[in-house]
Amino acid sequence: MKKQIIILFLLITTLAHSENLTNVTVRILTTRVITTFIFSPLTGNYMVYGDGLLLTDCDPSGIYQMNVENDSIRLKTFEKNIGKYASIKFYSKAPEAVFKIKSVNPLSKVRTYDNNLEVGLSPDKKQFTLINNVDLEKYISGVVQSEAGKRISMEYYKLQSILCRTFLLTNITRHEAEGFQVCDDVHCQAYNEKATELNVIKAVQDTRGLVVVDNDLNLITAAFHSNCGGMTCNSQDVWSISTTYLKSVKDTFCLNSPNAHWQRSISYEDWNTYLQLKHKYPVADSLKVATNTSFSQTYGRAVYFTDKDLKIPLKTIRADFKLKSTYFSIEQDGDSVKFNGRGYGHGVGLCQEGAMHQAILGYSYKHILNFYYKDVHLVDLSALKYFKAE
Ligand SMILES: [Zn+2]
Ligand SMILES: [Zn+2]
């Protein structure tokens, strides 16, 4: 009981940074430079505000176009020009409202989102900053569908829901200086549109408010990746941060999944030049040269390439050559150096393809959670309100 109270106290402290626990502000279409777009309600009615003043009500027949014009936002319908503003807000009148948005310049497909849209301009006033002010659990549903994909088992969706919620709460101040909480790119978590998959929506509802804490009662860094290749990584080997729960585990569940194996060839000359110029690799030393094309990780993951003294981090090689993972062995193949790789992603925390396979085999989300994260606990945030009322 005492431990539970401490957990709740720490969570309150952690969440004090979050102004609002029920809604989250997400920058959407983050990677696009949008100068013209169209907004339209799909279901429900909206109120349209310009610079904070209510301009009009809008039902699903309403269509609004906005474009960047002389450092302002021009708002118009098909019938008329409404005006120029610094900011525009479309606020839904009901919690189930959904809107459509279509970028016209550049041209892209229609996307749908839950709840509200806040339209502003970038600091240089050359493009839109579009912020979806959305119910937290609806946002989590959108993230789970974007991160996990469609037609995955229910138990996996539940697990992903809990991890995405935990990740959100530990990263809620990431974009504070820019006027929103998280972006929709992989920098934070992928959030492509509102969830449509019924199992995703149900899984998020079934795990509503659940988050993961470690033995020290802090929300965990809920790291996950596509495929570990058979063994996950210690967090300190990838990010130089040691945790009690992000520990390397052997995982045979992902070995037959799509991202379990990869191959890549680089010319021997390019490889040698890279090692010499970037890492001062002693290519004149014949013994060292002989080992630079016979690197093996057959019996487990390494942190450094070939030689501990040189300390060339595998994560640097991965980044420089845009390799799928650091879990590779190499061999010379004529004029080329052949990389035989395993897995996809940084390798820390949950292996998505392994976890999906475990869910298909019938393991519960709690079992899978404890397989990839050591000594962690599930906590229900809904207890917070009760605790606060005490
Ligand atoms: Zn971000
Ligand atoms: Zn795995």
Side-chain angles (χ1 to χ4, degrees):
M1 187 62 195
K2 193 179 169 193
K3 193 174 176 185
Q4 276 181 330
I5 290 173
I6 296 170
I7 289 175
L8 288 170
F9 175 75
L10 287 173
L11 285 170
I12 290 168
T13 312
T14 308
L15 295 167
H17 295 292
S18 165
E19 286 171 29
N20 191 338
L21 286 181
T22 57
N23 269 45
V24 51
T25 49
V26 191
R27 182 172 178 190
I28 56 172
L29 299 160
T30 304
T31 57
R32 315 229 170 168
V33 179
I34 296 173
T35 55
T36 307
F37 75 94
I38 291 169
F39 168 95
S40 175
L42 182 66
T43 54
N45 292 349
Y46 278 79
M47 294 169 289
V48 187
Y49 293 86
D51 294 341
L53 292 173
L54 181 63
L55 301 175
T56 179
D57 280 5
C58 157
D59 64 26
S61 66
I63 298 174
Y64 292 87
Q65 179 174 312
M66 277 143 280
N67 57 285
V68 180
E69 187 180 302
N70 301 330
D71 297 348
S72 297
I73 303 166
R74 167 70 67 189
L75 175 68
K76 53 189 173 186
T77 63
F78 286 133
E79 296 86 34
K80 61 174 183 178
N81 254 313
I82 298 177
K84 281 171 74 175
Y85 307 92
S87 73
I88 292 169
K89 290 181 179 174
F90 296 93
Y91 271 35
S92 61
K93 288 187 161 182
E96 297 309 316
V98 175
F99 67 86
K100 290 188 288 187
I101 185 168
K102 179 176 172 59
S103 174
V104 176
N105 190 8
L107 202 59
S108 69
K109 70 178 178 103
V110 174
R111 298 202 195 200
T112 58
Y113 294 92
D114 290 298
N115 303 148
N116 314 306
L117 178 69
E118 299 174 357
V119 184
L121 292 175
S122 58
D124 67 2
K125 312 256 190 261
K126 299 290 185 225
Q127 59 167 299
F128 285 114
T129 305
L130 303 171
I131 295 170
N132 183 201
N133 184 322
V134 58
D135 172 79
L136 187 147
E137 299 292 332
K138 284 185 164 49
Y139 164 73
I140 295 298
S141 308
V143 171
V144 170
Q145 184 168 306
S146 303
E147 293 278 1
K150 295 181 179 176
R151 292 178 291 280
I152 309 293
S153 70
M154 191 67 178
E155 213 59 15
Y156 181 81
Y157 281 143
K158 287 183 190 170
L159 177 63
Q160 187 82 60
S161 305
I162 294 163
L163 296 180
C164 291
R165 192 180 294 109
T166 306
F167 183 96
L168 168 71
L169 295 174
T170 51
N171 290 282
I172 199 89
T173 57
R174 245 187 187 191
H175 289 281
E176 202 171 47
E178 296 157 86
F180 51 94
Q181 288 168 321
V182 284
C183 72
D184 68 347
D185 192 29
V186 289
H187 170 258
C188 290
Q189 301 189 90
Y191 172 61
N192 300 335
E193 57 188 347
K194 83 175 243 84
T196 51
E197 186 91 354
L198 293 179
N199 275 350
V200 169
I201 295 166
K202 184 166 187 330
V204 172
Q205 282 170 353
D206 287 354
T207 61
R208 186 179 180 85
L210 284 183
V211 290
V212 191
V213 293
D214 67 8
N215 256 346
D216 291 331
L217 316 172
N218 293 311
L219 288 165
I220 70 162
T221 299
F224 56 87
H225 58 277
S226 178
N227 186 307
C228 73
M231 186 175 281
T232 69
C233 296
N234 294 308
S235 60
Q236 67 266 30
D237 293 339
V238 179
W239 298 323
S240 310
I241 298 165
S242 183
T243 66
T244 53
Y245 50 91
L246 296 173
K247 295 294 182 196
S248 176
V249 295
K250 193 165 178 243
D251 177 16
T252 55
F253 293 102
C254 61
L255 295 180
N256 293 317
S257 298
N259 287 312
H261 299 281
W262 55 269
Q263 283 198 327
R264 173 85 178 272
S265 275
I266 296 169
S267 85
Y268 182 71
E269 196 182 337
D270 287 352
W271 178 238
N272 252 355
T273 305
Y274 166 77
L275 288 176
Q276 186 177 18
L277 292 184
K278 174 136 188 182
H279 300 292
K280 312 268 185 299
Y281 198 93
V283 291
D285 181 333
S286 59
L287 199 66
K288 286 275 192 321
V289 170
T291 59
N292 75 2
T293 55
S294 61
F295 176 64
S296 170
Q297 296 191 72
T298 308
Y299 302 105
R301 279 181 175 266
V303 181
Y304 298 103
F305 175 68
T306 66
D307 192 320
K308 275 189 191 145
D309 301 330
L310 289 168
K311 291 232 180 257
I312 303 173
L314 290 172
K315 63 181 179 183
T316 306
I317 296 175
R318 179 190 174 210
D320 289 339
F321 287 96
K322 297 185 172 51
L323 303 175
K324 284 187 169 181
S325 71
T326 60
Y327 200 4
F328 56 81
S329 298
I330 62 175
E331 58 185 3
Q332 190 157 358
D333 180 21
D335 292 340
S336 300
V337 177
K338 196 162 90 181
F339 287 66
N340 290 305
R342 304 169 65 172
Y344 192 0
H346 52 60
V348 182
L350 178 117
C351 165
Q352 285 179 298
E353 291 185 345
M356 284 175 192
H357 192 61
Q358 290 197 51
I360 290 168
L361 293 175
Y363 291 104
S364 71
Y365 73 85
K366 287 179 187 166
H367 175 94
I368 304 170
L369 180 78
N370 287 299
F371 180 88
Y372 291 106
Y373 302 99
K374 295 296 146 200
D375 300 324
V376 295
H377 315 277
L378 280 172
V379 180
D380 191 339
L381 281 178
S382 66
L384 262 181
K385 282 178 189 156
Y386 175 77
F387 185 70
K388 278 180 172 172
E390 283 285 287

